[in-house]
Amino acid sequence: MRILIVNVNTTESMTEGIARAAREAASAGTEIIALTPTFGAESCEGNVESYLAALGVMDAVMKYPGEFDAVVQAGYGEHGREGLQELLDVPVIDITEAGAALAMFLGHRYAVVTTLDRTVPLIEDRLLLAGLNTHCTSVRASGMAVLELENQPERAVEAIADQAAEAVERDRAEAIVLGCGGMADLKQVIVERCDVPVVDGVTAAVKLAESLVGLGLKTSKVRTYAPARPKQLSGWPFSAA
Amino acid sequence: MRILIVNVNTTESMTEGIARAAREAASAGTEIIALTPTFGAESCEGNVESYLAALGVMDAVMKYPGEFDAVVQAGYGEHGREGLQELLDVPVIDITEAGAALAMFLGHRYAVVTTLDRTVPLIEDRLLLAGLNTHCTSVRASGMAVLELENQPERAVEAIADQAAEAVERDRAEAIVLGCGGMADLKQVIVERCDVPVVDGVTAAVKLAESLVGLGLKTSKVRTYAPARPKQLSGWPFSAA
Amino acid sequence: MRILIVNVNTTESMTEGIARAAREAASAGTEIIALTPTFGAESCEGNVESYLAALGVMDAVMKYPGEFDAVVQAGYGEHGREGLQELLDVPVIDITEAGAALAMFLGHRYAVVTTLDRTVPLIEDRLLLAGLNTHCTSVRASGMAVLELENQPERAVEAIADQAAEAVERDRAEAIVLGCGGMADLKQVIVERCDVPVVDGVTAAVKLAESLVGLGLKTSKVRTYAPARPKQLSGWPFSAA
Amino acid sequence: MRILIVNVNTTESMTEGIARAAREAASAGTEIIALTPTFGAESCEGNVESYLAALGVMDAVMKYPGEFDAVVQAGYGEHGREGLQELLDVPVIDITEAGAALAMFLGHRYAVVTTLDRTVPLIEDRLLLAGLNTHCTSVRASGMAVLELENQPERAVEAIADQAAEAVERDRAEAIVLGCGGMADLKQVIVERCDVPVVDGVTAAVKLAESLVGLGLKTSKVRTYAPARPKQLSGWPFSAA
Amino acid sequence: MRILIVNVNTTESMTEGIARAAREAASAGTEIIALTPTFGAESCEGNVESYLAALGVMDAVMKYPGEFDAVVQAGYGEHGREGLQELLDVPVIDITEAGAALAMFLGHRYAVVTTLDRTVPLIEDRLLLAGLNTHCTSVRASGMAVLELENQPERAVEAIADQAAEAVERDRAEAIVLGCGGMADLKQVIVERCDVPVVDGVTAAVKLAESLVGLGLKTSKVRTYAPARPKQLSGWPFSAA
Amino acid sequence: MRILIVNVNTTESMTEGIARAAREAASAGTEIIALTPTFGAESCEGNVESYLAALGVMDAVMKYPGEFDAVVQAGYGEHGREGLQELLDVPVIDITEAGAALAMFLGHRYAVVTTLDRTVPLIEDRLLLAGLNTHCTSVRASGMAVLELENQPERAVEAIADQAAEAVERDRAEAIVLGCGGMADLKQVIVERCDVPVVDGVTAAVKLAESLVGLGLKTSKVRTYAPARPKQLSGWPFSAA
């Protein structure tokens, strides 16, 4: 099977990191195609960037010329998943939801550790909408910006592990979800420090996508994600502009 | 004061209707500037159209050359309000939330009557996110498409009034919110038929915008809607592309 | 238009302060009539006082000989709004709800800063009943009694600003609601200290009342606030006793 | 022990019915003193009457010259219990809450069957405030006014049993709470018709009051129900006016 | 009337303590029969032990040869109450729920103080299922194991009182529920230290059982607790194995 | 990898059906070992049977002599998953939760269609505890007993498909979860009739187990599912009895 995994920002090196993590998680026989939007922000850390990412991801998927069996949207707390579900019949998995859904099988409560404080409400909102929030005990910010994860990996690991430890001790989290598409490499350090399961959204999403495809399950088309009604659109798809 | 009111679709006649309703509601001394996005869908009735509207509205506001004191986003159940709040210091009012907020002062429970069944979950999601859902007893669809409201006004009135009556009788609604930017003209008929207060989102939003401006209140900039961090964006603002 | 604004306690100087704040917020053409109950407590800081205020306010409104277009109940966290809605057709706005409703348009979460610890549960209960609690991150007490706000304004400002700052930092509030009818004067200091929007319930209520009146909206009479059934009452209206 | 049970309306015959039901439920050694407010409505079916009842009950209790061990407020969905708790150290039981609390031990979900449709929201609000609403599947109105329960007992039984049957069948209730102080006599008929446990609030409250007194438990005085601060009150207690 | 009170663990000395507390609380004329399961754990502090207790309690009740009017399950946060309700017509009271239900009549919020940290989620889950969680402000662990309550009573009292004090001060609890079947003796110390009502689940359950029996109320048999369908069971009742 | 899948009842033919469905869903390289409890009920349709199943499943797993990588508990709405999580380090998946978790990725709301009406509350309770209930629009009973699914497959298909259709139309479900371990074969018929995705819990659980194992994720051991404290147990493990 072929899974498209789409970065939400335009930074190619992050796409590569996401692809690497996805491929390590993928089963034999699963081909991972990683896409980078042709427009948007170099990193998503706010509302405008998130809305722009929603369209950038849809655009990248619509432009992809080949066939595919599932799509993973690889941004934590970003908009857009519902649009992809409307556009496509194949399963669509957002890594925010994937990480939360798997963490719920591992402990009584989970916490998310993310990048900047300003992204916390966006993540909370996405978990609320997805109905995955009741077992989320906290969303904590490490204070590291998305691109700092790449540039200052050691400081990032420490800052994130600190918050994970606080989440376990104070917020009573029993599992940690890494709240950023580019955090997969940090997993092992946090496991060692906190001794709780650590879920990375990208790899969780790959597995959930494989699961749905393997079971022959597709996006429901009866109401919320029914195909758009035929109508005049201008400026979309961007690829045609 | 000057209020920008931005249609979420590209249909100019709807923008005009919205402007007309807004002007009738506005106080003396309030100037209403109605904007139409230069890209997007001719009507918003789904997820992709809604995400496209989010950017279309932001783009229209960013391109507007003059000064203004508040922005009203005139689409029911659409995305984008958070982006505007991040971009701007002035108050931003979404008509979905405006209608609900005022209805809550008029009766113990309110219902929304909207266009197509497929838009109901989008409205429910926006009310949930805004924290205005607990007194919403139902979101009902009339089965009329957005553009049919213009083309078949008589059938529209009847279909919407039918649902409003059901909401009052079966769902125990005590106030009705009109769930579409283009429904302001229907208000009187429904009031007469159901004998409950009927709130139109556009006019509610104008009044709330005037209220916030009048009180000197602006969008909070401490976390969720703090100005975006300086970073490289491509494809935005579209006006510059 | 004429708005009655009714203090919940019997302290005339507080009524005057409320009236002053209301008039500053009112639009040209809005007449503010401030009423003081003829019975009740000199300040409301508990359950009995709150229930007494409910009747005192209703009594004051029923005794008012003139016509009016809306009523504002100027007590934070007090009982009685539902009774006024049953008695009257015109809109009724409680300042507790007005402050919360406007704050929700300004930030992702709001906090209330009030007077004594013992009033916190009363405020929480009113926000819960009004369905305005989900975005309320905390109700904090400054420890200042209602009448101390008048007598010790400097200490009050500091104590309230301290709690507002804590709410922003620890509770992640992005807007502050002043949780007392007599706090309007403190607004500017807190804005300066915390750099978040600060909403005063009295002025918020005046604007909401003007909005509803301006839109021709009245209290729903279909169920909860339908006129009372004709029956024998003793001891009411007190004015007739 | 001595329990004061206070009717919320001024109809003596209802007080007598309540007293009779209470005495049948009371243990040997429990003395039931039934009080009727000296002011208020002949029956409580709305917001003003409910607020008036709150004060009428407090007034009746404050005027009672003897000692007592607990107070039961015998009105379904009425205001005032918090005021009594503030005034008194002894336990205070509202029959709305008593009926719900016991019903929760008998089945997975319970329903309330009450008098008029207009009182449903008041009951829902009281259950919400008390935190007893999550297992309440519905509050249904029989359409019978409070005083009709006395005047038309046969029609009342039928109307109430009809709603109870609907609640069991459609709303999946497994226990029924009688939602009025004057319904205790109807219990047996509904049990026979619906074959589910039927809880009467008055008798439930007597047992709960006896339980708390028997365990030496009293109302908490640390915050919400702490004694009122010393201050000037006018018009209260009414008995002194 | 005769009430069976069943310990959830196999430690006879704890059964005796429970019986002693129950008898002190019981009314004249109530006979308390205390049962100890013939299998299970010497104390319940986890999931397996809790599930084992569920069957142990059911087995003990089924083996009891005499007649009885109600059953109390004397374990805090343990499984099994629903099974007893299915097996029996008489009322079944779990002490977790009994303590919470009575505490809700005494203060605006209550807290539970229990033994080990690992049992906190089990208690939270039981309160959630019972619909008694919304007024529970916290479940706090003292760090004392169940059997240490017997062996180190002085240390236990101190550790539990510390947590109760924290609950009152930080979590805003106004009443404390003792979260273990063997804590009844600690009640007085905590009352003295914290000056809030302290509810012991065992004694609360006895009173609630007496109340339900006194009112002639039995477990509903319409759906959730209907008698089991006739079918082949192996290994049950264990007493017959 | 090796996955143990444990039936909750003692009917071998159902175990075989479960195993067959699990094997069809399993990836190449996944070995499915299906276990039948040696004690319990021939089908689980109530509380006692469910508690008995909890122990029967734990017993079967503890007796299994080989190594394994994950456990699936194949009963819909049954107790016991938390016990397995405490006993084991490997991931434990309950099919109730697995079906719900995957359905949430496919549509905005899902419904469960199960066997008998009496099992509905048990399923609702398990979904509530798991935090997977907010997107569940209804749990509907087909009226078919568990063993009738085997004996009367045609009638079962029709009854279940009828309820699925009602769920889609009336309850606004967009995906259906089959609420019984023995329903996997019915999937295709319901898909054809309702045109929505239909999720079978057994196959969903296999995929989720494979996912967690593939990602190296294990059950958290920090609090709720920490290994039991060393203590005296009698009657357990039953296998040793």
Side-chain angles (χ1 to χ4, degrees):
Chain A
M1 87 182 65
R2 182 183 288 165
I3 297 174
L4 298 191
I5 186 159
V6 197
N7 188 2
V8 294
N9 62 47
T10 57
T11 300
E12 289 283 358
S13 59
M14 288 203 68
T15 309
E16 284 159 26
I18 288 165
R20 204 166 42 238
R23 283 185 191 118
E24 277 172 30
S27 302
T30 298
E31 181 187 8
I32 299 290
I33 306 284
L35 304 177
T36 309
T38 58
F39 62 91
E42 60 186 325
S43 68
C44 287
E45 296 164 332
N47 296 286
V48 175
E49 295 160 8
S50 181
Y51 276 122
L52 202 49
L55 287 198
V57 168
M58 287 190 247
D59 179 66
V61 170
M62 294 306 276
K63 275 195 298 203
Y64 180 73
E67 302 207 329
F68 50 88
D69 300 291
V71 173
V72 170
Q73 175 165 329
Y76 213 87
E78 309 309 344
H79 284 101
R81 183 258 299 155
E82 306 94 323
L84 289 169
Q85 287 179 295
E86 185 179 286
L87 286 170
L88 304 170
D89 287 334
V90 299
V92 175
I93 305 284
D94 177 281
I95 67 167
T96 321
E97 299 167 17
L102 289 198
M104 288 166 73
F105 287 98
L106 302 171
H108 194 262
R109 290 288 180 273
Y110 72 90
V112 176
V113 183
T114 188
T115 54
L116 299 178
D117 192 41
R118 61 180 294 151
T119 68
V120 169
L122 284 81
I123 292 170
E124 290 174 337
D125 277 3
R126 294 305 296 178
L127 292 173
L128 172 65
L129 277 186
L132 294 166
N133 60 309
T134 55
H135 280 218
C136 179
T137 182
S138 60
V139 180
R140 282 178 167 265
S142 63
M144 302 297 292
V146 172
L147 297 181
E148 287 176 320
L149 299 179
E150 288 209 321
N151 304 336
Q152 308 189 34
E154 277 161 46
R155 239 191 81 212
V157 160
E158 194 162 349
I160 290 162
D162 283 353
Q163 291 301 315
E166 293 276 287
V168 172
E169 204 175 311
R170 298 204 188 177
D171 308 336
R172 306 178 65 80
E174 303 186 1
I176 296 293
V177 177
L178 297 173
C180 177
M183 283 182 176
D185 293 346
L186 315 175
K187 189 173 150 174
Q188 197 47 41
V189 181
I190 300 168
V191 169
E192 275 157 28
R193 171 123 170 244
C194 302
D195 206 18
V196 294
V198 176
V199 183
D200 165 60
V202 170
T203 55
V206 168
K207 284 307 190 191
L208 281 165
E210 287 182 345
S211 296
L212 296 175
V213 173
L215 295 171
L217 291 166
K218 300 201 165 182
T219 299
S220 179
K221 291 288 151 183
V222 296
R223 184 172 298 110
T224 312
Y225 308 123
R229 305 178 75 223
K231 67 178 65 166
Q232 233 178 338
L233 262 74
S234 54
W236 176 258
F238 296 106
S239 51
Chain B
M1 85 183 67
R2 182 183 289 164
I3 298 174
L4 297 192
I5 186 159
V6 197
N7 187 2
V8 292
N9 62 47
T10 58
T11 300
E12 290 282 358
S13 59
M14 287 202 69
T15 309
E16 285 159 25
I18 289 165
R20 204 165 41 237
R23 283 184 192 118
E24 278 172 29
S27 302
T30 298
E31 180 187 8
I32 299 290
I33 307 284
L35 304 178
T36 309
T38 58
F39 61 92
E42 59 185 326
S43 68
C44 287
E45 295 164 333
N47 296 285
V48 176
E49 295 160 9
S50 181
Y51 276 122
L52 202 50
L55 286 199
V57 168
M58 287 190 248
D59 179 64
V61 171
M62 295 306 276
K63 275 194 298 202
Y64 180 74
E67 303 208 328
F68 50 88
D69 300 291
V71 173
V72 170
Q73 175 166 329
Y76 212 86
E78 310 309 344
H79 284 100
R81 183 259 300 156
E82 306 94 323
L84 289 169
Q85 286 179 297
E86 186 179 284
L87 287 169
L88 304 170
D89 286 335
V90 298
V92 175
I93 305 283
D94 176 282
I95 66 166
T96 322
E97 299 167 17
L102 289 198
M104 288 167 73
F105 287 98
L106 302 171
H108 195 262
R109 291 288 180 273
Y110 72 90
V112 177
V113 182
T114 187
T115 54
L116 300 178
D117 192 42
R118 63 180 293 152
T119 68
V120 170
L122 284 81
I123 292 170
E124 290 174 337
D125 277 4
R126 295 304 296 179
L127 292 173
L128 172 65
L129 277 187
L132 294 166
N133 60 309
T134 55
H135 280 218
C136 178
T137 182
S138 60
V139 181
R140 282 178 168 264
S142 64
M144 303 297 292
V146 172
L147 297 181
E148 287 175 319
L149 299 179
E150 288 210 321
N151 303 336
Q152 308 189 33
E154 277 162 46
R155 238 189 82 212
V157 160
E158 193 163 350
I160 290 161
D162 283 352
Q163 291 302 314
E166 294 276 288
V168 172
E169 206 177 309
R170 298 203 188 177
D171 308 336
R172 305 179 65 80
E174 303 187 0
I176 296 293
V177 177
L178 297 174
C180 177
M183 283 182 176
D185 293 346
L186 315 176
K187 190 173 150 175
Q188 197 47 41
V189 181
I190 299 168
V191 169
E192 275 158 27
R193 172 123 170 242
C194 301
D195 206 19
V196 295
V198 176
V199 182
D200 164 61
V202 170
T203 54
V206 167
K207 285 306 191 191
L208 282 164
E210 287 181 344
S211 295
L212 296 175
V213 174
L215 295 171
L217 292 166
K218 300 202 165 183
T219 299
S220 180
K221 291 288 152 183
V222 295
R223 185 173 296 110
T224 312
Y225 309 122
R229 305 178 75 222
K231 66 178 65 165
Q232 234 178 337
L233 262 75
S234 53
W236 173 259
F238 294 107
S239 52
Chain C
M1 85 181 67
R2 182 183 289 164
I3 297 174
L4 298 192
I5 186 159
V6 197
N7 187 2
V8 292
N9 62 47
T10 57
T11 301
E12 290 282 359
S13 60
M14 286 202 70
T15 309
E16 285 159 26
I18 288 165
R20 202 166 43 239
R23 283 183 192 120
E24 276 173 28
S27 302
T30 298
E31 181 187 8
I32 299 291
I33 306 285
L35 305 178
T36 308
T38 58
F39 61 91
E42 60 186 325
S43 68
C44 287
E45 295 163 333
N47 296 286
V48 175
E49 295 160 9
S50 181
Y51 276 121
L52 203 48
L55 286 200
V57 168
M58 287 190 249
D59 179 65
V61 170
M62 295 305 276
K63 274 195 296 202
Y64 180 73
E67 303 209 326
F68 50 88
D69 299 291
V71 173
V72 170
Q73 176 164 329
Y76 212 87
E78 309 310 345
H79 285 101
R81 183 257 300 154
E82 306 93 324
L84 289 169
Q85 287 180 295
E86 186 179 284
L87 287 169
L88 305 170
D89 286 335
V90 299
V92 176
I93 305 283
D94 177 281
I95 67 167
T96 322
E97 300 167 17
L102 289 198
M104 289 167 74
F105 288 98
L106 303 172
H108 195 261
R109 291 287 180 274
Y110 73 90
V112 176
V113 182
T114 187
T115 53
L116 300 178
D117 193 41
R118 62 180 293 151
T119 68
V120 170
L122 284 82
I123 293 170
E124 290 174 337
D125 277 4
R126 294 304 296 179
L127 293 174
L128 173 65
L129 277 187
L132 293 166
N133 61 310
T134 56
H135 281 218
C136 178
T137 182
S138 60
V139 180
R140 283 177 168 265
S142 64
M144 303 296 292
V146 172
L147 296 181
E148 288 176 318
L149 299 179
E150 288 210 320
N151 304 336
Q152 308 189 35
E154 276 162 45
R155 236 190 84 212
V157 160
E158 194 163 349
I160 289 161
D162 282 353
Q163 291 301 315
E166 293 276 289
V168 171
E169 206 176 309
R170 297 203 188 177
D171 309 335
R172 305 177 68 78
E174 303 186 1
I176 296 294
V177 176
L178 297 174
C180 177
M183 283 182 176
D185 292 347
L186 315 175
K187 189 173 151 176
Q188 197 47 40
V189 181
I190 299 167
V191 169
E192 274 158 26
R193 171 124 170 243
C194 301
D195 206 18
V196 295
V198 176
V199 182
D200 164 61
V202 170
T203 54
V206 168
K207 284 307 190 191
L208 281 164
E210 287 181 343
S211 295
L212 296 175
V213 173
L215 295 171
L217 291 167
K218 300 203 165 181
T219 299
S220 179
K221 290 288 152 184
V222 296
R223 184 173 298 109
T224 311
Y225 309 122
R229 304 178 76 222
K231 67 179 63 166
Q232 233 178 337
L233 261 76
S234 53
W236 175 258
F238 295 108
S239 50
Chain D
M1 85 183 67
R2 181 183 290 165
I3 297 173
L4 297 191
I5 186 159
V6 197
N7 187 3
V8 293
N9 62 48
T10 57
T11 300
E12 290 282 0
S13 59
M14 287 203 70
T15 308
E16 285 159 26
I18 288 165
R20 201 164 46 236
R23 281 183 193 120
E24 278 172 30
S27 302
T30 298
E31 180 187 9
I32 299 290
I33 307 284
L35 304 179
T36 309
T38 58
F39 61 92
E42 59 184 328
S43 68
C44 288
E45 296 164 332
N47 296 285
V48 175
E49 294 160 8
S50 181
Y51 276 121
L52 203 48
L55 285 199
V57 168
M58 286 189 249
D59 179 66
V61 170
M62 295 306 277
K63 276 195 296 202
Y64 179 73
E67 302 210 327
F68 50 89
D69 300 290
V71 173
V72 170
Q73 176 166 328
Y76 212 87
E78 309 310 345
H79 283 102
R81 182 258 301 154
E82 307 93 324
L84 289 169
Q85 287 179 295
E86 186 179 285
L87 287 169
L88 305 169
D89 286 335
V90 299
V92 176
I93 305 284
D94 176 281
I95 66 166
T96 322
E97 299 167 17
L102 289 198
M104 288 167 73
F105 287 98
L106 303 171
H108 194 262
R109 291 287 180 272
Y110 72 90
V112 177
V113 182
T114 189
T115 53
L116 300 178
D117 192 42
R118 63 179 295 152
T119 69
V120 170
L122 283 81
I123 293 170
E124 290 174 337
D125 277 4
R126 294 305 295 179
L127 293 173
L128 172 65
L129 277 187
L132 294 166
N133 60 308
T134 56
H135 280 219
C136 178
T137 182
S138 59
V139 181
R140 282 178 169 264
S142 64
M144 303 297 292
V146 171
L147 296 181
E148 288 175 319
L149 299 178
E150 289 209 320
N151 304 337
Q152 308 188 33
E154 277 162 47
R155 237 190 84 211
V157 161
E158 193 163 350
I160 289 161
D162 282 353
Q163 290 303 314
E166 295 275 289
V168 172
E169 205 176 311
R170 297 203 187 178
D171 307 336
R172 306 178 66 80
E174 303 186 0
I176 296 293
V177 177
L178 296 174
C180 178
M183 283 182 176
D185 294 345
L186 315 176
K187 191 174 149 175
Q188 198 46 42
V189 181
I190 299 167
V191 169
E192 275 157 28
R193 170 121 172 246
C194 301
D195 205 18
V196 295
V198 176
V199 182
D200 164 60
V202 170
T203 55
V206 168
K207 284 306 191 192
L208 282 164
E210 287 181 343
S211 296
L212 295 175
V213 174
L215 295 171
L217 291 166
K218 300 203 166 182
T219 299
S220 180
K221 291 288 152 184
V222 296
R223 185 172 296 110
T224 311
Y225 309 122
R229 306 177 75 221
K231 67 179 65 165
Q232 233 178 338
L233 262 74
S234 53
W236 173 258
F238 295 108
S239 51
Chain E
M1 85 182 68
R2 182 182 289 166
I3 298 174
L4 298 192
I5 186 158
V6 197
N7 188 2
V8 293
N9 63 48
T10 57
T11 300
E12 290 281 359
S13 59
M14 287 202 70
T15 309
E16 285 159 25
I18 288 165
R20 201 165 45 237
R23 281 182 194 121
E24 277 172 30
S27 302
T30 298
E31 180 187 8
I32 299 290
I33 307 284
L35 304 178
T36 309
T38 58
F39 61 92
E42 60 185 325
S43 68
C44 287
E45 296 164 333
N47 297 285
V48 175
E49 295 160 8
S50 181
Y51 276 121
L52 203 48
L55 286 198
V57 168
M58 287 189 248
D59 178 65
V61 171
M62 295 305 277
K63 276 194 296 201
Y64 180 73
E67 302 209 328
F68 50 89
D69 299 291
V71 173
V72 170
Q73 176 166 328
Y76 212 87
E78 309 310 344
H79 285 101
R81 184 256 300 155
E82 306 94 323
L84 289 169
Q85 287 179 293
E86 186 180 285
L87 286 169
L88 305 169
D89 285 335
V90 299
V92 175
I93 305 284
D94 176 281
I95 66 167
T96 322
E97 299 167 17
L102 289 198
M104 288 166 73
F105 287 98
L106 303 171
H108 195 261
R109 291 287 180 273
Y110 72 91
V112 177
V113 182
T114 188
T115 54
L116 300 178
D117 191 42
R118 62 179 296 150
T119 69
V120 170
L122 284 81
I123 293 170
E124 290 174 336
D125 277 4
R126 295 304 296 180
L127 293 173
L128 172 65
L129 277 186
L132 293 166
N133 60 309
T134 55
H135 281 218
C136 178
T137 182
S138 60
V139 181
R140 282 178 168 266
S142 64
M144 302 297 291
V146 172
L147 297 181
E148 288 176 319
L149 299 179
E150 289 209 321
N151 304 336
Q152 308 188 34
E154 276 161 47
R155 236 190 84 211
V157 160
E158 193 163 350
I160 290 162
D162 282 353
Q163 291 301 315
E166 294 275 288
V168 172
E169 206 176 310
R170 298 203 188 179
D171 308 335
R172 306 178 66 78
E174 303 186 0
I176 296 293
V177 177
L178 296 174
C180 177
M183 284 183 176
D185 292 347
L186 314 175
K187 190 174 151 175
Q188 197 47 40
V189 181
I190 299 167
V191 169
E192 275 157 28
R193 171 122 170 245
C194 302
D195 205 18
V196 294
V198 176
V199 183
D200 164 61
V202 170
T203 53
V206 168
K207 283 307 190 192
L208 281 165
E210 288 182 343
S211 295
L212 295 176
V213 174
L215 295 172
L217 291 166
K218 300 204 165 182
T219 299
S220 179
K221 290 288 153 183
V222 295
R223 185 173 298 111
T224 311
Y225 308 123
R229 304 177 76 221
K231 67 179 64 166
Q232 233 178 337
L233 261 75
S234 53
W236 173 259
F238 294 108
S239 51
Chain F
M1 85 181 67
R2 182 182 289 165
I3 297 174
L4 297 192
I5 187 158
V6 196
N7 188 2
V8 293
N9 62 48
T10 58
T11 300
E12 289 282 359
S13 59
M14 286 203 70
T15 309
E16 285 160 25
I18 289 165
R20 202 165 45 237
R23 282 183 194 122
E24 277 172 29
S27 302
T30 297
E31 182 187 7
I32 299 290
I33 307 284
L35 304 177
T36 309
T38 57
F39 61 91
E42 59 186 327
S43 68
C44 288
E45 295 164 333
N47 296 286
V48 176
E49 295 160 9
S50 181
Y51 275 122
L52 203 49
L55 286 198
V57 168
M58 286 190 248
D59 178 66
V61 170
M62 295 305 276
K63 275 194 296 201
Y64 180 73
E67 303 209 326
F68 51 88
D69 300 291
V71 173
V72 170
Q73 175 165 329
Y76 213 87
E78 309 310 344
H79 284 102
R81 183 257 302 156
E82 306 94 324
L84 289 169
Q85 286 179 296
E86 186 179 285
L87 287 170
L88 305 170
D89 286 336
V90 299
V92 176
I93 305 284
D94 176 281
I95 67 167
T96 322
E97 299 167 18
L102 289 198
M104 287 167 74
F105 287 98
L106 303 171
H108 194 261
R109 291 288 180 273
Y110 71 91
V112 176
V113 183
T114 188
T115 53
L116 300 178
D117 192 41
R118 64 180 292 151
T119 68
V120 170
L122 284 81
I123 292 170
E124 289 174 338
D125 277 3
R126 294 304 295 179
L127 292 173
L128 173 65
L129 277 187
L132 294 166
N133 60 311
T134 55
H135 281 218
C136 179
T137 182
S138 60
V139 180
R140 283 178 167 264
S142 64
M144 303 296 293
V146 172
L147 296 181
E148 287 175 320
L149 299 179
E150 287 209 322
N151 304 337
Q152 308 188 34
E154 277 162 46
R155 235 189 85 212
V157 161
E158 194 162 350
I160 290 161
D162 282 353
Q163 291 301 314
E166 294 276 290
V168 172
E169 207 175 309
R170 297 203 189 178
D171 308 336
R172 304 179 68 80
E174 303 187 1
I176 296 294
V177 177
L178 297 174
C180 177
M183 283 183 176
D185 293 346
L186 315 175
K187 190 173 151 175
Q188 197 47 41
V189 180
I190 299 167
V191 169
E192 275 158 27
R193 170 122 170 244
C194 301
D195 206 18
V196 295
V198 176
V199 182
D200 164 60
V202 170
T203 54
V206 168
K207 285 307 191 190
L208 281 165
E210 288 182 343
S211 295
L212 296 175
V213 174
L215 295 171
L217 291 166
K218 300 201 165 182
T219 298
S220 180
K221 291 288 151 184
V222 296
R223 185 172 297 110
T224 311
Y225 309 123
R229 305 179 75 222
K231 68 178 63 165
Q232 234 179 334
L233 262 74
S234 53
W236 174 260
F238 295 108
S239 51

